[in-house]
Amino acid sequence: MSERVRIFDTTLRDGEQSPGISLDAGEKLEIAEQLARLGVDIIEAGFPVASEGDFEAVTAIAKAVHGPVICGLSRTQLHDVDRCWDAVRHAARARIHVFISTSPSHMEHMLKMTPAQVINETRSGVGRAREHTEDVEFSPQDATRTPLDFMIEVLVAAVDAGATTLNIPDTVGYGIPWDFGALIQYVRKHVPGDYVLSTHCHNDLGLATANSLAGVQAGARQVEVCVNGLGERAGNAALEEVVMALKIRPDQFPGLETGVNTGELARTSRLVSRLTGYPVQYNKAVVGRNAFAHESGIHQHGVLAERTTYEIIDAADVGQTGRQIVLGKHSGRHAFADTLAKMGLTIQGDALNAAFVRFKELADRKVDITDADLEAIVAEELGTSVAPEFTLEALEVSGGTVGVPRARVVLARAGEKLESSSEGDGMIDATCKAIRAATGVDGTLTDFNVSSVTGGVDALGDVIIQLDAGGVKVSGRGVSTDVVEASARAYVNAVNKVLRVRARSDQRAAEVGP
Ligand code: KIV
Ligand code: ZN
């Protein structure tokens, strides 16, 4: 009989705390649906008391996503706990995750509480959560810098008040595998009761995955992770790394298994990267584009003779096949929609029409269309559940080594055409300026990243930008075989997000009143 290691995904909560990431409710829902398809056990959907947007997103996910437990984060304050429950209660299985800091540094400088007060808060927060649901998780924040005796006292109080999962966060990524493993063992030995022990490791020393695995070896049966290792600062343990380590080394983790459908890992990684605007580093374990690339002749020779000579993971096992779809420029709308459905992409109405137009354009320019290409254009059209305010209708640029680079853009907004031209330092700069003039949305480009979706000279260029528009920070993404066009699409995408964020805060201000 095998024993389950529960995969607790916190991409939508801790992952969203990565600098510069801001997902709207539609994007969060899309990621949550893919996480359910991936087979994670628990989705931490957000921190409902943190903002109205977070509350709405957690509520939407609790209502719509089936399969995993839907969890919300909460401080110990009773109002926080109640607010968290209001959001997650719609789920078939709902969890409240209560946390409070326990290290001397956090208690003194942040909480300004004595150890006795922290124990009381733990009891009251966990107790209140338990009035709402039988599934309550508790975390002593900054556990790895908390004196052992005090941490045990807090954990015993949490179990006493009804916690069913005890999560041990290495909040600042201070742990080293063997001492983190020893910590997990210590908790198991000194905290009596019926609970699941969990790890939550940050990556400040690049050890988050190693520490999580040491925790599992020491008895943890839940691991908190983020897709692509996203999260505060250097991020959290990467879901794909932990899952594949458990799968590839059963000799080290005998009798343990996860419920993850590993064939969905690559697609999940791409989706999260696309919606968060965080590129995946090329040599990222498991999901990086080079994870299965062999450069040296000796390695290539070995892999051609027998894959396992230089590969411990079969690319197909993690969905990294770059499968070529059987669609071409003569394919019809029906075949297109059918192929998307087989890939698990649900897209309808205007978004389907727009994606089909993009597909046809791409098929004219590119011979080999892969799953990744198709996902990229569909995601750009799908992007969010809300119709975009501006769409790019036409782009004309001139530039090179002689003369001033110029761009002319035509955008559409509610049936109206808006045209603008500009000069710039280069064709991309001129294009962004022209879009700024046409939309009236001013902003500073704080980051610009271009990569190719697949290989080859006709590859789709994938542009990710970060835009700061008067304090509203958003990411934008665009794909095209032409990098200037991809940049224009990314810029228009970011402008649409800025307008959505502004509209939401105006609406909230109107609700609250003067
Ligand atoms: O890193 C941390 O301590 C956290 C807790 C809220 C679990 O994210
Ligand atoms: Zn964390």
Side-chain angles (χ1 to χ4, degrees), residues 13-14 17 169 171 200 202 232 236:
R13 200 276 300 166
D14 212 319
Q17 290 172 218
T171 306
H200 178 106
H202 278 269
E232 280 278 5
N236 288 69

Side-chain angles (χ1 to χ4, degrees), residues 56 99 113 120 134 161 202 225 248 288 301 348 374 387 437 500:
E56 281 165 20
F99 78 100
M113 280 186 196
N120 280 342
E134 289 186 351
H202 278 269
V225 286
I248 293 292
H301 175 82
Q348 286 148 355
L374 209 53
R500 275 206 300 278

Side-chain angles (χ1 to χ4, degrees), residues 13-14 73 97 99 139 141-142 167 169-171 200 202 224:
R13 200 276 300 166
D14 212 319
L73 183 68
H97 176 188
F99 78 100
S139 291
Q141 194 174 32
D142 205 10
N167 179 45
D170 183 15
T171 306
H200 178 106
H202 278 269
E224 302 201 353

Side-chain angles (χ1 to χ4, degrees), residues 397-424:
V397 285
S398 61
T401 52
V402 187
V404 183
R406 287 193 178 81
R408 182 181 76 88
V409 297
V410 182
L411 304 182
R413 180 195 213 176
E416 186 196 356
K417 298 247 188 276
L418 303 153
E419 186 175 333
S420 184
S421 301
S422 186
E423 294 180 350

Side-chain angles (χ1 to χ4, degrees), residues 28 62 79 125 173 235 251 262 304-305 336 355 387 448 495 509:
K28 286 188 181 174
H79 164 259
D251 56 320
T262 59
L304 285 175
F336 176 71
F448 181 92
V495 165

